[in-house]
Amino acid sequence: MLFADAVTPSLAANSPVLALDLGGTHLRTAVVSADGVIGARDRRRTLTVRGADAVMADCADSLRQITQQHLAAGGQRPTALGISAPGPLDPFRGVFQDPPNLGRSFWELPIVDHLSSVLGVPATLERDTQVAILGERAFGAGIGVNDLVYVTVSTGIGGAVISGGTLMRGPDGVAGELGHIAVDMNGPVCGCGGRGHLERMTSGTGMARSGMDALEAGLDAPELARIAANIAPSPLEAHHVYDAAAAGDPTARRIIDTAIHAFAAAAVSIVDIFNPQRIIVGGGIALAWGEALLGPARDLVAKTAFRVARERVSIVPASLGDDVGLIGALPLVRLALSGRSTQAHPEFASAVTA
Ligand SMILES: [Zn+2]
């Protein structure tokens, strides 16, 4: 059942919630208290090769297990489920679209209907980056900030925008896909088919691809070639390109410099388009590179973004780490309860706040 169908009177704003963070590699579950503290939790591999039905069974089993642990420890029964998953997905219907990281059997999967009927609690679904921005705003690097942008720099690049205190979704729920800002009209083709997108330049997948393309083209990349020969038949990964650059490889250095510059250029666009008070940057690559990524973005924003906008904005690292997809389930459920989400039934929302 969607929140729209939920009539459970016990669904209270101060109850703990169940969280499911469904990633392409791991699925993680937790009970999150009303003050954002994680209690019982579980983590399993996402066995996508077994198909969506098997993964859904794993999710339900894991959620039941942590619920039992939580209740056995004297905890209050969780009354709703918040789900974070890779996009693209339809948050209004609670259905996956065609997520490339999860495989074909997940296309059009009605995960909200399925898990809520199996577990007997209302559920709500959002894209992982949307859940992350809600989590960071409630409990992390964006507390109290009403105009906020979140960017994750990892295997891919994702984004989310809160403007005037409202999570931007767009009519299809796809708003905020900041990884597909074009930073070079003549750049290489992105995984989405567009050209010169931020994700193609600065994501882990994009940098690895640039490294392999450079070797195939016979560019001057002695250290990159040595690493590639060492790890064969495994393909190059972004950290190999980074290591080769650090060892003085000119082509690897150019790939890394391009990645950093592309991120800075995108940051300027983000500042000018959204006029955010804060840009929060999360994800594995952002965490590993730290100021090497954020410093040049701050410098370029300070030089070239609109004056009033650049004087207001700060660019900071995310603070909740891997748990953001779990902690964010709490504000996600509250958003559904508030009636500001189309998943919440107005009468139900008023019954809860009454
Ligand atoms: Zn793209």
Side-chain angles (χ1 to χ4, degrees), residues 151-158 178-184 188 190 196-210 238-239 242 254-267 281-286 289 292-294 297:
V151 185
T152 177
V153 183
S154 184
T155 315
I157 295 189
L178 302 172
H180 303 277
I181 290 177
V183 289
D184 179 0
C190 181
H197 289 180
L198 175 63
E199 176 163 290
R200 179 62 185 80
M201 312 301 216
T202 311
S203 72
T205 309
M207 286 186 278
R209 167 92 184 278
S210 292
H239 64 95
Y242 193 87
R254 185 181 50 74
I255 293 169
I256 300 298
D257 286 347
T258 301
I260 291 170
H261 192 217
F263 181 76
V281 189
I285 287 174
W289 293 15
L293 183 69
L294 268 51

Side-chain angles (χ1 to χ4, degrees), residues 24-207:
T25 316
H26 289 101
L27 68 88
R28 292 156 18 105
T29 61
V31 177
V32 184
S33 75
D35 49 2
V37 177
I38 291 182
R41 62 193 299 162
D42 185 36
R43 179 175 187 265
R44 307 179 182 200
R45 289 197 68 83
T46 309
L47 298 171
T48 47
V49 289
R50 289 169 51 215
D53 289 349
V55 172
M56 285 303 97
D58 269 353
C59 291
D61 184 63
S62 175
L63 288 162
R64 279 197 200 97
Q65 180 191 311
I66 58 163
T67 302
Q68 281 165 8
Q69 284 171 13
H70 173 76
L71 294 176
Q76 191 185 348
R77 181 171 287 280
T79 48
L81 167 65
I83 306 166
S84 164
L89 52 76
D90 182 340
F92 308 113
R93 292 189 300 134
V95 171
F96 287 141
Q97 290 170 347
D98 48 359
N101 295 337
L102 291 177
R104 187 78 197 223
S105 64
F106 288 80
W107 289 19
E108 290 300 313
L109 179 77
I111 182 172
V112 161
D113 267 354
H114 178 77
L115 286 180
S116 64
S117 66
V118 167
L119 297 165
V121 291
T124 182
L125 170 71
E126 258 298 356
R127 191 171 78 232
D128 44 15
T129 48
Q130 304 279 60
V131 177
I133 198 172
L134 292 171
E136 290 285 351
R137 182 167 178 249
F139 299 107
I143 292 175
V145 178
N146 279 334
D147 291 275
L148 189 62
V149 173
Y150 177 85
V151 185
T152 177
V153 183
S154 184
T155 315
I157 295 189
V161 178
I162 288 175
S163 184
T166 302
L167 180 67
M168 281 183 64
R169 283 186 162 122
D172 302 304
V174 230
E177 284 284 13
L178 302 172
H180 303 277
I181 290 177
V183 289
D184 179 0
M185 294 298 288
N186 300 309
V189 175
C190 181
C192 75
R195 190 172 282 281
H197 289 180
L198 175 63
E199 176 163 290
R200 179 62 185 80
M201 312 301 216
T202 311
S203 72
T205 309
M207 286 186 278

